[in-house]
Amino acid sequence: MSFVGGGVVGGGTDVHKFVEALQADFKTLSLETKKKYPQIKEACEEAISKLCTAGSSQQNSVYYTVNQILYPLVQGCETKDLKIIKFCLGMMQRLITQQVVDQKGALYITNALWTLMEHNIEEVKVLQTVTLLLTTNLVVHGDTLAKALVLCFRLHYTKNPTIVNTAGATIRQLVSLVFERVYLEKDSVHSLQQQQQLQQSGSNSPDTDTNSSTQDGQTFAMDAFHLFQDLVQLVNAEQPFWLLGMTEMTRTFGLELLEAVLSNFSAVFHENQEFRLLLKERVCALVIKLFSPNVKHRQLPAPSNGTAAAPVDKPLFPISMRLLRLVAILIQKYHTILVTECEIFLSLIIKFLDPDKPHWQRALALEVIHKLVTRSTLIAFFCKSYDLKNHATHIVHDMIAAMGSYIRYSLINASAVLSNGGQQGIGAAGQQPSTLAALSSGGNNQCGFMFRGAYLALVATFAPGLPKAVYLEMLDKLDAPNIPDSYGISLAYAILLDITRSIGGVIQRAPELHPTHNMAVITDEEYTPLCLQLINSSWSGLLSAFIPLVETSIDEGTTENILKAMQNYAALCGMLGQLQPRDAFIMAMCRASFPPHYAISIFANSAQPDVDLRCHTRSGSQDLSSQFINSCNADGGDFRPQIVAVGTPLPSASLPHSVMQAPVMLTNKNLQCMRAILLLAHNNGSILGSSWHIVLQTLQHLVWILGLKPSTGGSLQAMPKPAVEANVGIQTAVMADLPVLSQMIGQLFESSQCLDDVALHHLIDALCKLSHEAMELAYANREPSLFAVAKLMETGLVNMPRIEVLWRPLTNHLLEVCQHRHIRMREWGVEAITYLVKSALQFKHKQPLKENLELQTMLLSPLSELSTVLHADVRQRQLDCVLQILNTAGEILSFGWPAIIEIIGAVNDHHGEPLIRTAFQCLQLVITDFLTVMPWRCLPLCISTAAKFGSQTQELNISLTAIGLMWNISDFFNQNQDKLMSTQLEDVAILPDFPGTLKMPQFDKLWMCLYAKLGELCVDLRPAVRKSAGQTLFSTIAAHGSLLNPPTWQALVWQVLFPLLDNVRALSSSASNEKVDASGNILIHHSRNTAQKQWAETQVLTLSGVCRVFNTKRELLQMLGDFERAWSLILEFIQNAALSKNGEVSLAALKSLQEIMYHNSTERGLKDGQTAQQQDEEIWNIAWNIWLSIGMESTKMSATSRYLPGVGASGDNQEDFYIPSQAFLTALIQIFPAIFQHIQSRFSASDFDKFCTVLTNAVCIPVQTDAVPYIMSTVSDTLLTPLHDGILECMELIQKEAIKPESESESDSSIRQLIPAIFRQLLIFSKFACAPPTFQQNVEHSKYGKSTNHYANNASVEVVSMNYIPFGEKSISICVKLYQSTATEESVVQEQILHDIVKALRTPLAMKYKCLSSSTWKLAISSLISVLHTGLKVARAKPQYFASLWDDLADTLDKFLFPVSVCTIEDRGLEEIVLDETIDCQVIELLRDEVLPYAHEMPHQFIMQIVVLLNKGSIHSASDSNICYESDWKLREIFAKTCFETLLQFSLLEDQATATACNNNRLNANLLGTDAPGAVNKDFAGRLAVTALLHRFQEVLKRFNDDERQSGKCPLPRFRLSEISFVLKAIATLVVSMKKAPASKVNKPAWDLLIGLYPYLVDCTTTTSPEVSRSLREALLQYTDLLQAPSYVKDNANQSNGQQ
């Protein structure tokens, strides 16, 4: 139909068309009805005519004519002709649609429809028309409206379901329409009040006339009010006031309509007082009344008498369900205006959850609760209105507690049903819970809960915050549906999650998702108490519900959701500072992370929340899991919670032994709980506070069970388990998960950087507490958990930017850990500290660390405090850390140096070598790299630390290197002297005090620190250290000593150097001489194999060092004032050392002495000359006395040494046996010249005596075997040893001074008096050429002669004979030279020096070939010759001084020329013998030239002795008895010839002085065995000599002849032939000489004898020897002249006869 629109037809054309259409329709109707219903036809035509008139006029006319034109239509409806009725209804609808029907018309139409309804005609069309009539515009109201509504209600209760449904829908639409109109009416409130007054006047009469409803004041609000009021009446089974004509009404439909109105039009009720009253007084009362069967009804087992319960009471599902829907709306939308009523409703709903209520009733109640709790505003309202009020029901608390009870009941009931073998449990209206078999067939993706074998599947899932009711929506069900058992728990689980979420919404003030205008507003004042009350009301209930849920849930998703809710809730508690609930929730989660028996044990000590008091079944659910696992195992079903990890329990104090023994099995859920705890802590760390302890304790246990071990930086890593524990393992799935867990734990601690300071302290306290517990356990020697320590470290690392906040508590605890006796604990404690310190130092702090004294000190203090820990492993790590710090952050450590150096220095000997080595590496680094950046005040510390390392005894190399470092420090001082001098230190306490020096500069004090420390090291017990320290000390002083102020030198000398010498002396003397055990690892040289010998080296080093310093700084020291004292002290030290029994020390002492003595000191110009000279004399006198005492003491062989080994020395004395070495003696002697030059002017005879004693003793000292190479290598046999050389040099030095001319000599003449003494000393020395010192002989005798074997077993001193020959010879030479220059000196003459010389030379001359060296007697003879050349002249001049000389001289010559010793060609060779003969001839020549010519000036006796000597020499036979070889005759020929010639010359040619002839003649006659007469004749001596010769010749010839005859054919030996040959030649010579001699010289007997030889000569002619023949011939030829006697012979003969 074309005229459909929302408003009145506009425009003329449209109206026209509409009118035409109407006319057409009426025409059609008239045609239809003309036969049967003529009255309708007429009415139609009338209508057409009315329309025609209206069509020509304005549109209004159509509107006004409508009521007339409706008439035929109404009539048509009454015809009961369906076709006509349909047509009429269609036209009515067209008119309604076109909006031309007015109020009256509406009434007509309504009445017509009512009629049709009553006749059950075209019900659907009727309903459509009613709907159109009411919806198209607002003309229908009041009673018409009521009638229309009743009409629909009546149709709703017909038999036809289509009509019923259509009518129901129509009613719903129209009821809504009625209420929608209220919104359209602006003045609804006002008009309602007017109506109210009218109503009150006639309210008592329900049957008031219908017309009253058509009053003008009637409004839409009134209609709504009446409608709602009647609906309540009807539901309450009472008569309606307004909806008259209602025949029946079902309660269910009524409730649905009430629900629809209340649900959709809450604004109407909120805004209108009347409506509110209606709601409060009527609706709530109705609901409460209708609830009564539900409340009263109990589902109990049938009584035993078999009578059923009264059916009246039984609650009906449809009504209960609708009531609950209504209540839900009332609570949701009207709680602000129905506070008390809501309290009642809520209490009822909570009661509905009781176990004795039907299953469906509990399910519905749950659905309602779900609807309510998803809205946080409602929860807030309930709490504010009820829980916060004193006398109200605690709705929130009760509701949540009921949920907990419900859940536990569901679980227990399910298992009870199962265990009853399928019998119905208490109130189990639903079907049986599933069993395991059902579960296992369903595959693994099952969700739900399982308790003691009963499985409750999660049958309903809900989106968070969106309740989705199932059974509340079953509006079509007349009977209670069959609700699965698990539906309740599934829903309860969803409710709990939503409650938690809503509470969170309230507390966090989250905006409502679907805000409504009637929300209760919470003011700021109310907010805090409200939140606290919410938590108080809810926590115990929630906990009692969550715990069993977590324990029984079997799928991850469900568990995850519950745990999330618990996390969130715990976080809320924390935010509000509600510690008990927070801890309870956290504890519950922690417990869920372990198997129940393990959890009970672990948390036995933790404070239990009082949940158990409020939740009576908690104890039942405590062991849900264990019971449920046991029952699983019992049933043998397939399902088990999957055990994903098996580990060992972490030892803890509360674990009983049984638990400790068994492995801990973790399920997936346990790990899930662990993750939940981690998340909670990670996201809400700041609110955990004291709960951190429980959380961390849990994590620690889990980490332990899973086998995660801490690694670098504190993070945890899975360590592979040993293969042995095959039964203990972790599934691969979890293995892959472990790194994630570990990472989560890591992130948890990383997130600590977001915590505020207080929360951070809570975390650290908890970790410390945990660590304390671990430490306690570790004392029992169980493997400790390192979790807490590792995490403390990690926390420290991530909070570096605010490290000062946590540093102290953190490190103080870690320091305690480091003290622990369990090594793993310690390891980690120190790892943590060192790692933190390193990281903190490298961290870029806001204020750079370099400038932040406080922070640096704080960061390094724990590292320093580690020094108090006794465990070496801790110290090792501490030092490794220092080393790393130095390597990485050394340049930052401006203020931290004292701490670092103290740490390094805190190491001592008992710490062991590795530790000391590391510490030392640190020190090396400090000293090599960081001295320049170090503050001044650390330098003394550095020195003392280096010294400490020098003195440690664990590792020698370190000590030595440490001393090297001290040298480095000295270099540093030197290079940076300007900087160091300019820096003045306020804190003087760090520098030591050096008394006696006023105002020592700080820089000097620094040096003194160094020197003093080195000085201490010089007396270390180890020789190598002493040596190194000594060298360093003296090198440093030498190199850098010049930097010191002069007064400081005094301190250095008196406070460092002298004490050092003193200490060394004391320690050396007490050192042991036991052999040092080299323990096989190193060979020790024999010169260092006792402590004493090693100390000797130190003595040498220190003494020479100090002396060197003394020398180099002599000028400086002389200026200081106490030089003399120092000088005498140092010389005393030298003396002490020089007299040491150790050759090395004594020698070195002398070397030092030598250095000091030879030092060229320039004279000081500071003092006046006289004082200086006095001081100088004093100094050199001290030196001379020291030299003397050294000389006397060292060369005087001590008493002990006299008892030589093997001669009766005791064992002790044998040890003491000490002989000064040659080098020592040489050095001693060589020092003398230096001293002598200073004391020569004061050198007295007594001084010289002492000096000589020293020299003599020195020479006599035997040489030790070990010194032989020293002597032998430097000198060959013919040269002097250095000692002898030195001695002789000294002698020459003194002698030079002594023989200086008076004018040159500075000294007085006293020194000239020493010349004789010098001679004597030299002669003593000269004797050694033939007779080495007696001591030596003793030694040799005792050693080699008797007891070489005495030495087999002890290394005592061996001595060897020394070559004294060159020394003796040199002494002789010097003596000769000296004599040649001083022979005429008065003192020399008077002291009879010549005699002494002769006596001294007699020894070698007498020994001749027995001399050790032939050079000796050769030198002696040449010396004698030289001396006599000089001395004989003096002797002739001053005979009175030489009387005693002559006999000795004659004796000496005799012994020399006719030696006792034998000489052979084999021994000496031909040439040598010839040379020796030449020497003998020289002696004879000397006599010929120097003695015989002056015979008259010499004693006669002496001359006679000389003649005898010549006589002897002129004939070989004199030595007959000693000659064994013929050749010797030949070889002495020349000598004999010389003697013979000299004798002849003396006898025949020279004029002879005959002073004492008689005596001598007699003597000589006796000697020669001739009977010479005693007449005195001056020529007698000469004649006598001739006679003697002739006798000898005759004897030889006679013997020769005899022998030759007897020998027959054998020739005589060659020497006999030589002898005879010589005799023959001598005869020839004698004959010649006698012929030439004056007559007075030769007497007759001589001639007679000569002639008497002739026969013998003739006899010789038989010889076969050509040599003899030749000589014989010469002799015989000489006789030619004697064949005729000359004329004067007779006279001579007479003369001589007369004499006789």
Side-chain angles (χ1 to χ4, degrees), residues 926-927 929-935 972 976 979:
V926 170
I927 288 177
D929 295 6
F930 297 112
L931 281 179
T932 43
V933 297
M934 205 178 281
F972 166 75
N976 298 275
K979 181 177 149 198

Side-chain angles (χ1 to χ4, degrees), residues 1364-1591:
Y1364 281 91
I1365 296 160
F1367 176 60
E1369 291 177 357
K1370 182 78 184 286
S1371 306
I1372 296 172
S1373 310
I1374 295 171
C1375 207
V1376 170
K1377 268 195 209 128
L1378 180 59
Y1379 187 72
Q1380 286 173 337
S1381 60
T1382 60
T1384 55
E1385 285 280 336
E1386 195 64 33
S1387 56
V1388 177
V1389 176
Q1390 285 173 356
E1391 298 270 348
Q1392 302 187 345
I1393 292 303
L1394 183 59
H1395 188 182
D1396 289 346
I1397 295 175
V1398 172
K1399 275 197 282 195
L1401 292 175
R1402 177 162 60 184
T1403 315
L1405 293 177
M1407 290 169 71
K1408 197 164 184 182
Y1409 295 120
K1410 274 191 185 159
C1411 277
L1412 297 170
S1413 158
S1414 61
S1415 62
T1416 309
W1417 62 262
K1418 287 181 183 170
L1419 175 69
I1421 194 65
S1422 66
S1423 303
L1424 184 65
I1425 293 169
S1426 309
V1427 170
L1428 290 176
H1429 271 302
T1430 313
L1432 288 173
K1433 292 188 182 79
V1434 183
R1436 290 202 298 274
K1438 299 183 179 173
Q1440 69 274 28
Y1441 294 116
F1442 292 92
S1444 57
L1445 164 73
W1446 307 109
D1447 278 356
D1448 282 337
L1449 180 57
D1451 181 43
T1452 304
L1453 292 172
D1454 180 43
K1455 281 186 174 148
F1456 171 69
L1457 291 172
F1458 304 104
V1460 188
S1461 49
V1462 184
C1463 164
T1464 62
I1465 295 182
E1466 282 72 6
D1467 285 346
R1468 298 195 48 131
L1470 198 53
E1471 287 176 14
E1472 285 283 316
I1473 292 178
V1474 172
L1475 287 173
D1476 291 354
E1477 193 172 3
T1478 315
I1479 293 170
D1480 294 350
C1481 294
Q1482 283 172 0
V1483 176
I1484 302 299
E1485 282 162 14
L1486 171 78
L1487 292 174
R1488 185 184 67 201
D1489 300 343
E1490 291 290 338
V1491 176
L1492 295 177
Y1494 307 105
H1496 55 284
E1497 292 179 25
M1498 293 182 191
H1500 188 71
Q1501 172 88 25
F1502 173 63
I1503 297 297
M1504 287 312 293
Q1505 286 167 327
I1506 294 304
V1507 172
V1508 171
L1509 192 106
L1510 290 170
N1511 207 338
K1512 209 176 188 183
S1514 58
I1515 296 177
H1516 289 322
S1517 318
S1519 56
D1520 185 30
S1521 58
N1522 297 328
I1523 292 176
C1524 320
Y1525 301 104
E1526 50 179 316
S1527 59
D1528 292 38
W1529 270 115
K1530 168 77 176 138
L1531 295 175
R1532 286 289 271 194
E1533 258 177 33
I1534 301 166
F1535 170 67
K1537 190 175 176 186
T1538 311
C1539 285
F1540 188 50
E1541 281 174 355
T1542 306
L1543 192 59
L1544 286 183
Q1545 190 182 358
F1546 173 55
S1547 316
L1548 307 175
L1549 305 176
E1550 294 297 331
D1551 207 15
Q1552 169 80 346
T1554 55
T1556 55
C1558 285
N1559 301 335
N1560 287 345
N1561 282 347
R1562 196 171 295 116
L1563 172 70
N1564 283 344
N1566 293 340
L1567 275 172
L1568 292 167
T1570 50
D1571 289 330
V1576 178
N1577 188 324
K1578 62 171 185 165
D1579 297 332
F1580 188 77
R1583 288 202 296 278
L1584 190 87
V1586 178
T1587 316
L1589 277 172
L1590 290 169
H1591 274 291

Side-chain angles (χ1 to χ4, degrees), residues 929-962:
D929 295 6
F930 297 112
L931 281 179
T932 43
V933 297
M934 205 178 281
W936 214 102
R937 54 194 306 278
C938 295
L939 296 174
L941 210 53
C942 276
I943 295 171
S944 57
T945 308
K948 218 171 188 182
F949 280 99
S951 58
Q952 59 75 35
T953 55
Q954 289 284 329
E955 168 59 69
L956 179 61
N957 287 341
I958 286 179
S959 295
L960 300 179
T961 320

